Amino acid sequence: GTINLTIDADDVIEDAAGNDVSNLSGFVIDDGQLPVFLSAIQFDTNGDGNIDEIVIEMSEDFDNASLDENDFGLSAGTISSVSDDGAGTDNTTDGTSDEFFTLEVAVTGTAPVTVDYTSDGMSVALEDLNGNAAADNAAIVSDDQALPVITTV
């Protein structure tokens, strides 16, 4: 992204040694922060008592082209697809990148499951917009946000 920086004429930017910056044009801010998995929220979108979506929140925007459903696993159930297009229940997006994506899943019941991430080596790892890859072997315990339903009377 672009950062606009305005400095008043009487202000000075200095390094740790006290040297003034003489030219502010053409500098680049390097983002070396790895994207981190913040949360996994599970939903029962059709009210049948089973989890069918897990929305993952990252610490920063990521490159949607780096999403690969084969990089994710569940402690219970299966993953059928991953979407980044806002199709999920609470997935917000600007169309090209954001910090949310949705795993379309089949999980019996609504007990919290763990989402595992390990890049499969067959595709690009999940990366932020600066090419920093998420750490492998991440495990995220999901938060159950599915509404209760009566399944047997």
Side-chain angles (χ1 to χ4, degrees):
T2 302
I3 296 174
N4 295 319
L5 178 64
T6 304
I7 300 173
D8 295 331
D10 56 342
D11 290 335
V12 177
I13 295 178
E14 297 178 336
D15 65 11
N19 301 310
D20 292 350
V21 173
S22 60
N23 182 355
L24 290 178
S25 64
F27 67 92
V28 175
I29 298 174
D30 184 28
D31 170 16
Q33 281 298 114
L34 302 179
V36 176
F37 297 95
L38 296 180
S39 66
I41 303 171
Q42 56 190 47
F43 296 95
D44 173 11
T45 61
N46 60 10
D48 69 353
N50 298 307
I51 300 303
D52 45 37
E53 280 188 357
I54 300 176
V55 176
I56 307 291
E57 180 182 10
M58 301 296 294
S59 60
E60 60 182 305
D61 289 359
F62 61 88
D63 181 357
N64 290 344
S66 69
L67 272 178
D68 181 356
E69 71 187 70
N70 296 315
D71 291 345
F72 296 91
L74 299 175
S75 59
T78 59
I79 300 171
S80 59
S81 66
V82 59
S83 63
D84 59 355
D85 60 0
T89 303
D90 284 347
N91 192 0
T92 59
T93 184
D94 64 8
T96 57
S97 64
D98 66 23
E99 65 271 7
F100 296 94
F101 62 92
T102 301
L103 299 173
E104 302 298 331
V105 301
V107 176
T108 302
T110 60
V113 298
T114 300
V115 179
D116 297 311
Y117 168 78
T118 302
S119 179
D120 65 3
M122 303 298 291
S123 62
V124 175
L126 182 60
E127 296 180 340
D128 67 13
L129 300 180
N130 291 303
N132 301 310
D136 268 355
N137 301 318
I140 314 110
V141 176
S142 60
D143 177 27
D144 177 15
Q145 293 296 313
L147 297 174
V149 297
I150 298 173
T151 57
T152 317
V153 180

